[in-house]
Amino acid sequence: MRIRFDGKTVVVSGAGHGFGRCIAETFAQLGARVFGCDLSAAELAETAKAGVQTEMLDLTDRAAAAAWIAQIERTTAGAVDVLVNNAGGVAGQEMRPIEEVPDADWDRIFAVNTGAAFTLSRAVATGMKRAGSGRIINISSGAGLGPSLTGIQAYCSAKGNGLRTEKKGKGHWLNGSP
């Protein structure tokens, strides 16, 4: 089987390292026009070597995240074909009992892991519907399947939100993967 993504626009969040970089590079190797974002300019510079167009972006800034998608759609003169919501993590949190977790720490983890995916998904939805196709892939974690083993309860809760798989109408799918 030969899979190609020639002529397709792919967006990958968290593309600076790890899974995100690998996903972005692979789509680029398969012919897609790939756009990736992350917080680290140095890490994005490495990703860009594979032909990925990169942007340093804090996805917890919802207006900036939506503006980035709008810019991509203007640049490509079309809808995003594939969105990979990969950005996430523990946002610098450390293990502590739940009764000691400040609201701001809890909220930051949800903003990074759940809010960013929602914002990017909402931003691509109109274009995908207009085009009659599109795929949104949410990268999650097995941490969302059970209680926290790390003492970072918000991470488990946020990742549990990412494990949902739901058909979103004709030609539109939301895929979650643990």
Side-chain angles (χ1 to χ4, degrees), residues 19-61:
F19 290 137
R21 180 184 289 160
C22 183
I23 292 166
E25 290 173 345
T26 301
F27 271 112
Q29 290 166 2
L30 295 173
R33 185 167 185 188
V34 182
F35 296 82
C37 71
D38 211 310
L39 291 171
S40 170
E43 291 178 334
L44 285 170
E46 286 297 312
T47 303
K49 290 177 183 177
V52 177
Q53 295 179 51
T54 61
E55 178 84 19
M56 194 172 87
L57 181 63
D58 180 353
L59 292 172
T60 64
D61 180 341

